[in-house]
Amino acid sequence: MASMAPEIPSSILIVGSGVFGLSTAWALCNNPQFKDTSITLVDRQPFPTPDGSSIDTSRIIRPDYAAAPYTRLASISQQRWRTDFAPEHYHQTGLCVTASGPEQRYVSESLANVQALGVDNVEVLGTAEDIRKACGLEGKGDEGCGSTGYVNWSSGWANAEGAMGWLREKVERLNRVNFVVGTVKKLIIDNNTNTVSGARLSDSSELTADLTLLAAGAWTSALIDLRGICKATGQALCYMPISPSEEATLSQRPTILNLSTGLFMIPPSQRLLKIARHGYGYVNPTTIPHPESPDPNDTITVSLPFTHVDDPSQAVPREGQRECREFLASIHPSLSTPSRPFTKSKICWYTDTRDGDFLISYHPKYKGLFVATGGSGHAFKFLPVIGESILECIMGRTPEDFKGRWEWPAERAPEELWKGDGSRGGPVGMVLSEETAKEQMATSKL
Ligand SMILES: Cc1cc2nc3c(=O)[nH]c(=O)nc-3n(C[C@H](O)[C@H](O)[C@H](O)COP(=O)(O)OP(=O)(O)OC[C@H]3O[C@@H](n4cnc5c(N)ncnc54)[C@H](O)[C@@H]3O)c2cc1C
């Protein structure tokens, strides 16, 4: 029996104005099927969200994936970046993906997928020396840079905040979306009919809609129970000011991403060099009232973001700053002198899933609720296209190659069994409060 396509909702409430939420708002405005649908987009912060995952100096734009469906979608998205989607914010300076351990498997699968796409400006790098040469690195050996890898000169990076601002302006100009600044405290759930009819804000006002689309990034776990499905992990980013001539030189080089340590350096922009870690991250276990329970005494413990907005003095814990520093020292020792410290660091939150796949799905229990999250540290590049894909899923047409990846998992899996997508390196099992406490202990001993 053919399954019936869902009805077009007369009103949609989008919670979260990041990549998933804003891109969906844009796709809704452009899709004639939704021409009569009223669209409201609520975010807890005025745009641009200072601690949102989608707002930063730079994000890598690559089709370099071990999983072929993402290679396919990323290459479509990248074509948009090159042509009609914020092209002034896109820079095609290449990406060098390396490893020196088990993560080499991800590198070779990704290389095969990129080659299958027909990308011809890919250089295989068989030694650390080859990597150093391709990326214009200083230093010696495979310390920092990895021992094997490849460079895809067709990959690049985008100014994330610039591109999000570009899209936001486009959406605003269409005058279709009602933008609201407010914090969603709880979804409006009818526990008798298992229906969601909107959201209640922290000022007790309500936003109602036929369909609520939850795209609150790493905060989504505060609004529905995602235990065993998604968790927030904090990632380290460190910034160092550089001179115009240093920027001119480094900005022509490829991004270097060492999957075995997770450490990477994107070409600098706005006179800032960014060193970051694509790793397992810090978790921040937090006990909150169960978001789906009418009983306020019912609680759950989940990892949630804790950011520089919550604590303006927040910095990356000492171990993260040390790793970023050692990486810089190994690839550009001349920049890593004691007189040039990182002047800023921040923790940015991934919404990790068990296998690195996004979660783009109706909620299996609640009518009127759709979830678009689980960016797993790699969703930014899809900004031009993910909203269209989300609409396809809303209409019951999940792309064939993402079936079984984006849908709500049949079972919740204990976090210790999560395999990830094979792209993560570096330390595992770190808890943010413990790492911060180590730093405070070290300072008190000085
Ligand atoms: C350090 C770092 C590096 C990354 N590097 C790359 C990269 O190189 N390439 C790449 O493709 N991807 C990268 N990513 C991943 C990508 O940036 C994210 O997957 C993507 O931005 C996630 O978008 P989002 O919409 O899920 O979340 P967000 O951008 O965080 O948006 C969620 C929004 O929801 C709002 N919100 C939360 N709770 C509430 C509430 N209760 N009420 C109202 N609003 C609420 C927040 O304020 C926020 O604006 C990186 C991510 C990080 C953190």
Side-chain angles (χ1 to χ4, degrees), residues 11-16 40-43 180 182-190 195-216 223-224 291 368-369:
S11 52
I12 291 191
L13 170 65
I14 302 172
V15 181
T40 301
L41 195 161
V42 61
D43 200 288
V180 176
T183 301
V184 171
K185 191 102 178 86
K186 208 168 171 32
L187 296 178
I188 304 170
I189 301 177
D190 181 332
T195 305
V196 167
S197 56
R200 190 164 299 117
L201 307 191
S202 51
D203 65 1
S204 299
S205 62
E206 291 186 350
L207 296 168
T208 55
D210 284 354
L211 183 67
T212 300
L213 189 138
L214 209 44
L223 299 174
I224 46 167
L369 180 61

Side-chain angles (χ1 to χ4, degrees), residues 14-22 42-45 47-56 58-62 65 156-157 160 164 180-186 201 214-220 222-223 233-237 239 264 266 274 276-278 346-351 358 372-383:
I14 302 172
V15 181
S17 181
V19 162
F20 286 95
L22 188 61
V42 61
D43 200 288
R44 61 189 241 290
Q45 296 277 353
F47 187 86
T49 309
D51 54 356
S53 304
S54 309
I55 304 295
D56 193 12
S58 50
R59 290 282 181 264
I60 301 168
I61 309 294
R62 57 166 169 117
Y65 273 93
W157 62 276
M164 286 292 289
V180 176
V181 176
T183 301
V184 171
K185 191 102 178 86
K186 208 168 171 32
L201 307 191
L214 209 44
W219 292 266
T220 309
L223 299 174
T233 65
Q235 308 289 329
L237 293 104
Y239 303 84
F264 64 99
I266 296 193
K274 179 171 105 181
R277 186 170 60 194
H278 171 67
K346 69 173 186 182
I347 301 174
C348 185
W349 293 82
Y350 285 180
T351 316
F358 305 154
T373 188
S376 302
H378 67 95
F380 190 86
K381 65 185 68 60
F382 299 103
L383 181 62

Side-chain angles (χ1 to χ4, degrees), residues 189 191 193-195 292 362-369 408:
I189 301 177
N191 291 102
T193 59
N194 289 332
T195 305
E292 297 169 25
Y362 281 99
H363 194 284
K365 179 172 171 190
Y366 299 111
K367 290 192 283 289
L369 180 61
W408 197 275

Side-chain angles (χ1 to χ4, degrees), residues 8-14 20-41 171 174 176-177 211 213 386-392 394-395:
I8 301 286
S10 65
S11 52
I12 291 191
L13 170 65
I14 302 172
F20 286 95
L22 188 61
S23 180
T24 305
W26 171 235
L28 282 167
C29 293
N30 290 326
N31 188 320
Q33 283 185 285
F34 292 86
K35 68 179 182 2
D36 298 322
T37 302
S38 77
I39 309 160
T40 301
L41 195 161
V171 180
L174 294 174
R176 279 277 315 278
V177 178
L211 183 67
L213 189 138
I386 198 68
E388 291 157 21
S389 297
I390 290 169
L391 289 200
E392 284 298 295
I394 288 177
M395 298 310 294

Side-chain angles (χ1 to χ4, degrees), residues 354 413-420:
R354 63 184 78 182
E415 288 172 11
E416 55 280 12
L417 299 182
W418 292 15
K419 290 202 308 287

Side-chain angles (χ1 to χ4, degrees), residues 21 55 62 88 101 123 126 143 205 209 250 286 348 400 402 440:
I55 304 295
R62 57 166 169 117
E88 66 271 34
E123 258 179 74
E143 214 182 303
S205 62
L250 293 171
T286 312
C348 185
E400 228 22 75
F402 285 109
Q440 281 158 355

